[in-house]
Amino acid sequence: MAPKLVFVLPVVLLGWAFQAILRPPPTKLCGSPGGPPLTSPRIKLRDGRHLAYREDGVQKDKARYKIITIHAFDSTKDIPLPVSKELVEELGIYLLAFDRAGYGESDPNPKRDVKSEALDIEELADQLELGQKFYVLGTSMGGYSVWGCLQYIPHRLAGAALVVPVINYWWPSFPAELSRQAFKKQVVPEQRTLWIAHNVPSLLYLWMTQKWLPSSAAAMHHPEIFSKHDMEVLQKMMAMPRTIENKSRQQGTYESIHRDLLVAFGRWEFDPMNITNPFPQNEGSVHIWQGYEDRLVLVELQRYISKKLPWIKYHEVREGGHMFMLLDGWTDRILKALVVGEEPSAV
């Protein structure tokens, strides 16, 4: 027995140690002892989780258009949509933003996937009594939530806009060579991160927290991921007074940004390029807005999606990067196109 114990005991201890390294720390839930404080209104979902939200624009009962906005990677509902007050009042727009699961003040969802994001949006709309139909607008990583809405709750949508929406390089409809060439254009740390998220998701936490090699360039806000236009946007934003604290990671990085990577670049239940037109009678519209110079979401893949789904209205901003909508009135143009069909004169 002794020789067996000498062999087995180190293996067991090594296994425990390896599990401890791979296992993320417990989430610091908002409102729990030692956790971040609760400062926002929240709804309680059917599964017991809470979803935090923020309302803007005109009063809900007087609104002509009700839009749910879906925030980007490493962001929250509290980062305001840069839309003009004049447009909001002129068109009668009610805006509802929320913290996606694990972000800000919303409880994490260890089972989070593209479908759960869409169902969270539907339940939020129902509990806040938005009516049978509403619009959705997702930016960057928030784009996968819009794809989820188009797949799972198309009957609830009055229209949808995807602004520089995240693309999964492993969607089956992409030609292998096109996807491979686009993937190679990402900076090397991002390539490694996305490959791990897709192929070895159990190692993502270890990869994102190790200190020997750079991990996600997006998570670290590495300058290489920003275009010239993006850098100009960032400089202008840095010159503005900073009044809003980014609380995206306050409950922990794993259930916020790490989980986002796992969902966006994992294995989906559906291929977005197989989605059917939710508005066959032109009773609504779906838009994709893409910056030509975007280094995070590549234009050639977005063009391919728009060709596979000709019912989507595709807008390409010639000098735009990943952050083009934050300045120069682009958000106003995006909202006008979504709710009243007014196309921008030049993109």
Side-chain angles (χ1 to χ4, degrees):
M1 286 291 291
K4 288 184 179 180
L5 284 174
V6 169
F7 174 76
V8 170
L9 187 58
V11 172
V12 172
L13 292 175
L14 185 63
W16 284 346
F18 196 58
Q19 275 192 329
I21 293 172
L22 292 178
R23 184 184 299 121
T27 303
K28 297 177 290 185
L29 291 175
C30 283
S32 65
L38 283 171
T39 62
S40 302
R42 306 200 301 178
I43 63 164
K44 188 173 183 179
L45 301 168
R46 284 185 292 267
D47 62 7
R49 290 182 295 115
H50 294 87
L51 212 62
Y53 65 90
R54 192 191 82 239
E55 298 172 286
D56 283 313
V58 303
Q59 288 182 310
K60 182 169 53 182
D61 57 348
K62 297 179 180 178
R64 293 172 60 198
Y65 306 105
K66 298 169 184 176
I67 305 174
I68 298 178
T69 62
I70 308 158
H71 66 77
F73 181 75
D74 204 9
S75 185
T76 71
K77 68 183 183 325
D78 297 317
I79 309 300
L81 196 68
V83 57
S84 69
K85 184 178 179 181
E86 293 77 14
L87 181 74
V88 167
E89 292 180 350
E90 174 193 343
L91 296 182
I93 298 175
Y94 163 85
L95 295 165
L96 175 61
F98 70 102
D99 289 329
R100 294 190 287 115
Y103 275 104
E105 297 180 51
S106 288
D107 292 341
N109 181 5
K111 298 179 180 179
R112 175 151 64 113
D113 59 15
V114 180
K115 184 175 184 177
S116 72
E117 291 265 308
L119 297 182
D120 282 357
I121 289 169
E122 182 178 39
E123 192 167 353
L124 176 67
D126 288 340
Q127 290 204 33
L128 294 186
E129 300 180 340
L130 263 60
Q132 182 60 31
K133 300 262 188 180
F134 50 85
Y135 295 85
V136 289
L137 186 156
T139 305
S140 190
M141 194 68 89
Y144 77 69
S145 303
V146 177
W147 286 122
C149 290
L150 290 167
Q151 172 70 14
Y152 296 111
I153 58 166
H155 56 289
R156 301 300 307 274
L157 301 181
L162 302 98
V163 183
V164 294
V166 65
I167 289 174
N168 186 317
Y169 296 89
W170 293 272
W171 286 340
S173 291
F174 280 136
E177 184 62 17
L178 175 67
S179 184
R180 188 179 71 85
Q181 290 297 331
F183 188 76
K184 285 174 64 178
K185 289 183 180 181
Q186 293 286 357
V187 295
V188 172
E190 200 68 10
Q191 290 183 37
R192 293 169 179 159
T193 300
L194 303 188
W195 188 92
I196 291 170
H198 183 78
N199 293 288
V200 201
S202 60
L203 293 182
L204 184 68
Y205 174 73
L206 178 62
W207 168 250
M208 294 289 287
T209 54
Q210 53 79 32
K211 306 298 182 184
W212 301 290
L213 293 170
S215 57
S216 170
M220 296 187 295
H221 308 290
H222 196 286
E224 282 190 54
I225 66 174
F226 298 116
S227 69
K228 179 182 176 182
H229 182 269
D230 287 333
M231 294 303 294
E232 293 173 358
V233 172
L234 286 171
Q235 288 171 3
K236 290 179 182 179
M237 292 177 65
M238 289 173 66
M240 299 176 183
R242 188 168 182 174
T243 58
I244 299 171
E245 178 187 358
N246 188 355
K247 300 178 181 179
S248 60
R249 308 185 188 189
Q250 68 175 354
Q251 297 186 90
T253 58
Y254 186 76
E255 289 296 346
S256 53
I257 62 171
H258 297 183
R259 183 72 69 185
D260 241 1
L261 292 168
L262 291 170
V263 174
F265 299 101
R267 302 179 189 277
W268 288 32
E269 291 183 346
F270 67 97
D271 183 339
M273 284 171 274
N274 291 332
I275 292 176
T276 56
N277 184 0
F279 306 115
Q281 306 302 320
N282 294 320
E283 64 272 34
S285 58
V286 180
H287 301 254
I288 288 179
W289 295 82
Q290 176 64 36
Y292 176 76
E293 297 181 1
D294 194 333
R295 294 183 183 177
L296 268 175
V297 180
L298 299 179
V299 68
E300 52 264 46
L301 296 182
Q302 216 72 272
R303 288 173 177 172
Y304 186 84
I305 293 170
S306 69
K307 289 178 181 177
K308 292 286 286 185
L309 301 174
W311 46 269
I312 287 182
K313 296 184 178 182
Y314 178 65
H315 314 267
E316 194 171 290
V317 182
R318 287 192 294 270
E319 297 182 357
H322 195 66
M323 307 173 72
F324 79 87
M325 77 173 293
L326 297 181
L327 290 177
D328 303 326
W330 274 108
T331 300
D332 281 22
R333 301 185 213 185
I334 290 167
L335 290 184
K336 279 185 179 180
L338 175 63
V339 300
V340 298
E342 182 176 321
E343 301 291 336
S345 56
V347 295

